[in-house]
Short mmCIF file of all heavy atoms in Angstrom, two decimals:
data_model
loop_
_atom_site.label_atom_id
_atom_site.label_comp_id
_atom_site.label_asym_id
_atom_site.label_seq_id
_atom_site.Cartn_x
_atom_site.Cartn_y
_atom_site.Cartn_z
N ASP A 77 3.84 -4.80 -16.52
CA ASP A 77 2.99 -4.28 -15.43
C ASP A 77 3.85 -3.39 -14.53
O ASP A 77 3.75 -3.42 -13.32
CB ASP A 77 2.36 -5.45 -14.64
CG ASP A 77 1.34 -4.96 -13.61
OD1 ASP A 77 0.86 -3.82 -13.74
OD2 ASP A 77 1.04 -5.73 -12.67
N TYR A 80 5.92 -5.06 -11.74
CA TYR A 80 5.30 -6.22 -11.09
C TYR A 80 5.42 -7.47 -11.97
O TYR A 80 4.77 -8.49 -11.73
CB TYR A 80 3.85 -5.92 -10.69
CG TYR A 80 3.80 -5.02 -9.46
CD1 TYR A 80 3.73 -3.64 -9.58
CD2 TYR A 80 3.92 -5.56 -8.18
CE1 TYR A 80 3.73 -2.82 -8.45
CE2 TYR A 80 3.93 -4.75 -7.05
CZ TYR A 80 3.84 -3.38 -7.19
OH TYR A 80 3.86 -2.59 -6.07
N VAL A 117 7.47 -9.95 -5.12
CA VAL A 117 6.37 -10.32 -6.02
C VAL A 117 6.43 -11.83 -6.29
O VAL A 117 6.93 -12.25 -7.35
CB VAL A 117 6.45 -9.50 -7.33
CG1 VAL A 117 5.18 -9.67 -8.15
CG2 VAL A 117 6.71 -8.02 -7.04
N HIS A 120 3.93 -14.31 -9.26
CA HIS A 120 4.21 -14.44 -10.69
C HIS A 120 5.54 -13.79 -11.00
O HIS A 120 5.95 -12.86 -10.33
CB HIS A 120 3.11 -13.77 -11.52
CG HIS A 120 2.68 -12.44 -10.95
ND1 HIS A 120 1.62 -12.33 -10.07
CD2 HIS A 120 3.18 -11.19 -11.09
CE1 HIS A 120 1.48 -11.06 -9.71
NE2 HIS A 120 2.43 -10.34 -10.30
N PHE A 162 -6.88 -8.41 -15.15
CA PHE A 162 -6.66 -7.38 -16.16
C PHE A 162 -7.42 -7.66 -17.46
O PHE A 162 -7.07 -7.16 -18.52
CB PHE A 162 -5.15 -7.24 -16.45
CG PHE A 162 -4.35 -6.66 -15.31
CD1 PHE A 162 -2.96 -6.81 -15.28
CD2 PHE A 162 -4.96 -5.93 -14.29
CE1 PHE A 162 -2.21 -6.26 -14.25
CE2 PHE A 162 -4.21 -5.38 -13.25
CZ PHE A 162 -2.82 -5.55 -13.22
N PHE A 181 -2.93 -11.97 -14.01
CA PHE A 181 -2.76 -10.57 -14.44
C PHE A 181 -2.48 -10.64 -15.95
O PHE A 181 -3.12 -11.44 -16.62
CB PHE A 181 -1.69 -9.88 -13.58
CG PHE A 181 -2.14 -9.85 -12.12
CD1 PHE A 181 -1.77 -10.84 -11.22
CD2 PHE A 181 -3.00 -8.84 -11.68
CE1 PHE A 181 -2.23 -10.82 -9.90
CE2 PHE A 181 -3.47 -8.82 -10.37
CZ PHE A 181 -3.08 -9.81 -9.48
N GLN A 185 2.83 -12.25 -17.12
CA GLN A 185 3.06 -12.52 -15.70
C GLN A 185 2.63 -13.95 -15.33
O GLN A 185 1.66 -14.17 -14.59
CB GLN A 185 2.28 -11.51 -14.83
CG GLN A 185 2.81 -10.08 -14.93
CD GLN A 185 1.86 -9.05 -14.33
OE1 GLN A 185 0.73 -8.91 -14.79
NE2 GLN A 185 2.29 -8.37 -13.28
N ARG A 215 7.00 -5.92 1.39
CA ARG A 215 5.56 -5.83 1.14
C ARG A 215 5.31 -6.92 0.12
O ARG A 215 5.85 -6.89 -0.99
CB ARG A 215 5.22 -4.43 0.63
CG ARG A 215 3.77 -4.24 0.17
CD ARG A 215 3.64 -4.56 -1.30
NE ARG A 215 2.34 -4.17 -1.84
CZ ARG A 215 1.93 -4.52 -3.05
NH1 ARG A 215 2.70 -5.21 -3.86
NH2 ARG A 215 0.76 -4.15 -3.48
N ASP A 217 3.46 -8.86 -2.55
CA ASP A 217 2.42 -8.61 -3.54
C ASP A 217 1.41 -9.76 -3.59
O ASP A 217 1.80 -10.93 -3.55
CB ASP A 217 3.13 -8.48 -4.91
CG ASP A 217 2.22 -7.98 -5.99
OD1 ASP A 217 1.71 -6.86 -5.87
OD2 ASP A 217 2.02 -8.72 -6.99
N VAL A 218 0.15 -9.42 -3.72
CA VAL A 218 -0.96 -10.39 -3.81
C VAL A 218 -0.66 -11.74 -3.13
O VAL A 218 -0.85 -12.80 -3.71
CB VAL A 218 -1.43 -10.62 -5.28
CG1 VAL A 218 -2.12 -9.37 -5.82
CG2 VAL A 218 -0.32 -11.02 -6.23
N GLU A 283 -0.15 -7.67 0.82
CA GLU A 283 -1.26 -7.04 0.12
C GLU A 283 -2.43 -8.02 0.11
O GLU A 283 -2.39 -9.04 -0.57
CB GLU A 283 -0.86 -6.71 -1.33
CG GLU A 283 -1.95 -5.94 -2.06
CD GLU A 283 -1.90 -6.08 -3.57
OE1 GLU A 283 -1.22 -6.97 -4.09
OE2 GLU A 283 -2.60 -5.29 -4.23
N TRP A 285 -6.74 -8.15 0.04
CA TRP A 285 -7.96 -7.37 -0.15
C TRP A 285 -9.20 -8.08 0.37
O TRP A 285 -10.31 -7.62 0.16
CB TRP A 285 -8.14 -7.05 -1.65
CG TRP A 285 -7.13 -6.10 -2.19
CD1 TRP A 285 -5.91 -6.42 -2.69
CD2 TRP A 285 -7.23 -4.68 -2.29
NE1 TRP A 285 -5.25 -5.29 -3.10
CE2 TRP A 285 -6.05 -4.20 -2.87
CE3 TRP A 285 -8.23 -3.74 -1.95
CZ2 TRP A 285 -5.81 -2.84 -3.12
CZ3 TRP A 285 -7.99 -2.40 -2.20
CH2 TRP A 285 -6.80 -1.95 -2.78
N HIS A 344 -0.70 2.82 -5.27
CA HIS A 344 -0.51 2.91 -6.72
C HIS A 344 -1.59 2.15 -7.49
O HIS A 344 -1.51 2.07 -8.71
CB HIS A 344 0.88 2.35 -7.07
CG HIS A 344 0.98 0.89 -6.76
ND1 HIS A 344 0.91 0.38 -5.48
CD2 HIS A 344 1.09 -0.18 -7.57
CE1 HIS A 344 0.99 -0.94 -5.53
NE2 HIS A 344 1.11 -1.30 -6.78
N ASP A 345 -2.53 1.58 -6.77
CA ASP A 345 -3.61 0.83 -7.43
C ASP A 345 -4.98 1.51 -7.29
O ASP A 345 -5.98 0.97 -7.78
CB ASP A 345 -3.71 -0.58 -6.83
CG ASP A 345 -2.49 -1.44 -7.15
OD1 ASP A 345 -1.89 -1.24 -8.22
OD2 ASP A 345 -2.14 -2.30 -6.32
N ARG A 407 -4.88 2.85 -13.78
CA ARG A 407 -4.24 3.28 -12.53
C ARG A 407 -3.18 4.34 -12.78
O ARG A 407 -2.55 4.82 -11.84
CB ARG A 407 -3.64 2.05 -11.82
CG ARG A 407 -4.69 1.02 -11.42
CD ARG A 407 -4.06 -0.28 -10.96
NE ARG A 407 -3.31 -0.91 -12.04
CZ ARG A 407 -2.58 -2.02 -11.91
NH1 ARG A 407 -2.52 -2.63 -10.74
NH2 ARG A 407 -1.93 -2.53 -12.93
N ARG A 411 -0.41 7.62 -10.59
CA ARG A 411 1.03 7.35 -10.73
C ARG A 411 1.76 8.50 -11.43
O ARG A 411 2.87 8.32 -11.91
CB ARG A 411 1.23 6.05 -11.51
CG ARG A 411 0.60 4.85 -10.83
CD ARG A 411 0.66 3.59 -11.69
NE ARG A 411 0.12 2.44 -10.97
CZ ARG A 411 0.02 1.22 -11.46
NH1 ARG A 411 0.43 0.98 -12.70
NH2 ARG A 411 -0.47 0.23 -10.74
C1 GLC B 1 -0.67 -5.99 -6.98
C2 GLC B 1 0.04 -4.70 -7.27
C3 GLC B 1 -0.42 -4.22 -8.60
C4 GLC B 1 -0.04 -5.25 -9.63
C5 GLC B 1 -0.59 -6.62 -9.27
C6 GLC B 1 0.07 -7.69 -10.05
O1 GLC B 1 -2.05 -5.81 -6.88
O2 GLC B 1 -0.18 -3.78 -6.24
O3 GLC B 1 0.10 -2.96 -8.93
O4 GLC B 1 -0.53 -4.86 -10.88
O5 GLC B 1 -0.35 -6.93 -7.93
O6 GLC B 1 1.39 -7.86 -9.62
#
Side-chain angles (χ1 to χ4, degrees):
D77 187 19
Y80 285 93
V117 191
H120 42 268
F162 291 162
F181 298 93
Q185 292 167 298
R215 173 270 190 190
D217 190 61
V218 291
E283 185 205 14
W285 291 87
H344 65 295
D345 293 329
R407 297 169 297 176
R411 300 173 176 179

